[in-house]
Amino acid sequence: MNEGFTVWFTGLTAAGKTTVARLVARELLERGFRVELLDGDEVRKNLSQGLGFSREDRDRNVLRIGYVCKLLSRNGVVAIAAAVSPYRETREKLRADIGNFVEVYVSCPIQVCSERDYKGIYKALQEGRISQVSGLDDPYEEPQNPEVIIRTHQETPEESAAKVITALEELGYVAPKDLGSLGYSEEERLLLEKRLSELGYI
């Protein structure tokens, strides 16, 4: 069984977290991993219904997603979370709690996010119908040392996803694709990786 890990996408609303996360999930599935994608909006509907957007409620939602990621990772699944998760302290708490944790900062200027506005959140704020939008009238604290930074206003989603996969390979969570193309079965590939790891090569 593969060792599980968590890939955590953080960034402003409409930065492109879910789009890139889906591409990364698809690539990992194709490489034989068991993968679960936890989208912040979906989790709000199913696990966090009734929570608002105060700091306390946002943290509660993020910690619930993190708890599920921890369980999945512990059981050999790659957990991919895509959630604004605006507070640095909370993300660092997840990192410490989950262990195998890769933070992906989805960087995109607020102006570009506002123009995309897929969910109408920025427009609703401008019209005074909502408040507490991260990066505008509520804080968004950028990661200080994320494992990966993708810039979705400059890269295609495919380029951003490739950067994440490359980082996972470099960090040793995912074998380079070339190994699979050499004719190894999944079991042989894992044994080879384990042996290389024991020898300190990866």
Side-chain angles (χ1 to χ4, degrees):
M1 183 172 72
N2 286 314
E3 186 177 0
F5 55 92
T6 292
V7 185
W8 192 280
F9 287 79
T10 177
L12 297 170
T13 295
K17 298 180 295 297
T18 301
T19 300
V20 179
R22 284 180 179 149
L23 292 172
V24 170
R26 189 173 71 189
E27 176 66 23
L28 293 176
L29 281 168
E30 288 175 2
R31 295 193 188 196
F33 287 88
R34 294 190 296 155
V35 180
E36 195 63 52
L37 173 60
L38 297 156
D39 179 76
D41 293 334
E42 290 297 316
V43 172
R44 269 193 178 271
K45 284 182 202 166
N46 296 294
L47 287 180
S48 297
Q49 216 169 28
L51 290 183
F53 291 89
S54 65
R55 175 165 187 150
E56 191 176 59
D57 279 359
R58 285 176 191 268
D59 275 348
R60 191 171 292 138
N61 185 46
V62 167
L63 291 172
R64 286 179 184 174
I65 299 171
Y67 179 70
V68 176
C69 288
K70 180 180 177 180
L71 295 180
L72 291 168
S73 297
R74 197 170 68 192
N75 286 282
V77 177
V78 179
I80 300 178
V84 175
S85 42
Y87 306 116
R88 195 176 295 138
E89 181 182 357
T90 312
R91 295 191 304 265
E92 288 307 310
K93 186 174 179 183
L94 295 176
R95 178 189 293 278
D97 195 36
I98 293 172
N100 291 339
F101 185 87
V102 177
E103 187 175 42
V104 179
Y105 174 36
V106 184
S107 174
C108 186
I110 191 83
Q111 295 84 356
V112 176
C113 295
S114 300
E115 289 165 11
R116 293 174 179 168
D117 202 15
Y118 308 119
K119 293 179 263 186
I121 287 175
Y122 295 103
K123 184 179 178 189
L125 177 70
Q126 288 170 355
E127 293 174 353
R129 291 184 282 118
I130 63 168
S131 61
Q132 295 177 301
V133 174
S134 297
L136 287 174
D137 64 342
D138 209 55
Y140 176 79
E141 298 168 356
E142 296 180 4
Q144 290 180 319
N145 295 298
E147 280 76 11
V148 190
I149 300 175
I150 56 176
R151 304 182 194 285
T152 56
H153 59 298
Q154 297 172 336
E155 304 161 358
T156 66
E158 290 76 16
E159 288 170 338
S160 295
K163 281 176 74 173
V164 176
I165 293 293
T166 298
L168 294 175
E169 290 174 347
E170 290 173 353
L171 291 166
Y173 288 109
V174 174
K177 203 168 189 177
D178 288 342
L179 270 182
S181 67
L182 292 175
Y184 291 106
S185 69
E186 181 64 11
E187 187 177 347
E188 291 169 333
R189 184 182 67 76
L190 291 172
L191 284 172
L192 178 61
E193 280 180 38
K194 184 180 176 190
R195 184 64 184 140
L196 289 173
S197 176
E198 288 169 353
L199 292 171
Y201 291 118
I202 60 175

